[in-house]
Amino acid sequence: MEAELNGRLIKLDEDGELYWWFHRNSRNVLKNPRWIRFKQSLVKTKNKVYKTMEANGRKFKVHRVVYFIHNTEWNILDNSKANLIDHVDNDGLNNNINNLRVATHQQNMWNTKSKGYSVTPYNNYRAKVQCGEVKLTKTYKTEQECIDAVNEFKLKYHQF
């Protein structure tokens, strides 16, 4: 699949590798045209690792580029919190299109590995989960009660 990104023609092959079209234009004669693989680097954020690449002087996260190639009507340059790309399986290096979806910041935060509860100093369990204005903050005597309450809340409110 091919698309134009920041003035550069890019291609995603079957193996998930990204390439850009190289040609040197000298006196209107095309010299040595070919596809060149993008150089990618790893960037670690607070708790995840992502691949990044550069296209004509601008850095992009690879998962955003892969999603853009498959959905060219999506605005890759919109970096607002309402236009994030979420990894369904929480693996920042798995850039398969089936693993990517557009999400808001809140939806992206729902898709984390956090438990949603903690242990109090009195050996009780406190559930603390939020979805917009709806909050669950309650203390339970057993861990299983707390886990059940958090899972029920997530099933009810944390849906895409």
Side-chain angles (χ1 to χ4, degrees), residues 106 110 128-137 153 157-158:
Q106 185 179 44
W110 292 341
K128 193 169 184 180
V129 191
Q130 180 175 347
C131 178
E133 299 298 320
V134 181
K135 297 178 185 179
L136 169 65
T137 306
F153 183 87
Y157 295 106
H158 289 187

Side-chain angles (χ1 to χ4, degrees), residues 91-137:
D91 181 5
L93 299 177
N94 181 1
N95 295 320
N96 185 321
I97 188 62
N98 299 328
N99 187 45
L100 304 174
R101 62 183 170 196
V102 176
T104 64
H105 178 69
Q106 185 179 44
Q107 290 169 332
N108 198 20
M109 292 295 99
W110 292 341
N111 191 21
T112 62
K113 294 181 181 177
S114 67
K115 297 186 297 184
Y117 67 93
S118 60
V119 181
T120 67
Y122 306 106
N123 290 327
N124 292 327
Y125 296 88
R126 179 177 295 132
K128 193 169 184 180
V129 191
Q130 180 175 347
C131 178
E133 299 298 320
V134 181
K135 297 178 185 179
L136 169 65
T137 306

Side-chain angles (χ1 to χ4, degrees), residues 27-153:
R27 294 186 187 171
N28 298 328
V29 176
L30 202 60
K31 293 184 177 181
N32 200 17
R34 65 186 184 277
W35 288 101
I36 297 177
R37 185 182 305 172
F38 271 105
K39 181 180 178 185
Q40 298 178 7
S41 57
L42 295 178
V43 173
K44 185 174 183 180
T45 62
K46 188 175 182 180
N47 56 359
K48 287 193 178 183
V49 178
Y50 298 103
K51 290 182 183 178
T52 61
M53 54 169 267
E54 189 174 313
N56 282 348
R58 183 170 181 160
K59 289 189 178 187
F60 295 94
K61 289 183 179 173
V62 171
H63 60 273
R64 291 178 65 84
V65 174
V66 169
Y67 190 83
F68 174 71
I69 289 174
H70 286 275
N71 302 285
T72 53
E73 71 282 350
W74 176 71
N75 186 2
I76 190 171
L77 301 177
D78 178 9
N79 289 325
S80 69
K81 287 188 174 186
N83 193 33
L84 301 178
I85 298 298
D86 180 39
H87 290 84
V88 176
D89 68 355
N90 285 311
D91 181 5
L93 299 177
N94 181 1
N95 295 320
N96 185 321
I97 188 62
N98 299 328
N99 187 45
L100 304 174
R101 62 183 170 196
V102 176
T104 64
H105 178 69
Q106 185 179 44
Q107 290 169 332
N108 198 20
M109 292 295 99
W110 292 341
N111 191 21
T112 62
K113 294 181 181 177
S114 67
K115 297 186 297 184
Y117 67 93
S118 60
V119 181
T120 67
Y122 306 106
N123 290 327
N124 292 327
Y125 296 88
R126 179 177 295 132
K128 193 169 184 180
V129 191
Q130 180 175 347
C131 178
E133 299 298 320
V134 181
K135 297 178 185 179
L136 169 65
T137 306
K138 193 172 178 184
T139 304
Y140 298 91
K141 290 187 189 261
T142 67
E143 184 177 15
Q144 191 57 49
E145 286 178 327
C146 192
I147 290 171
D148 292 342
V150 168
N151 288 338
E152 184 179 319
F153 183 87

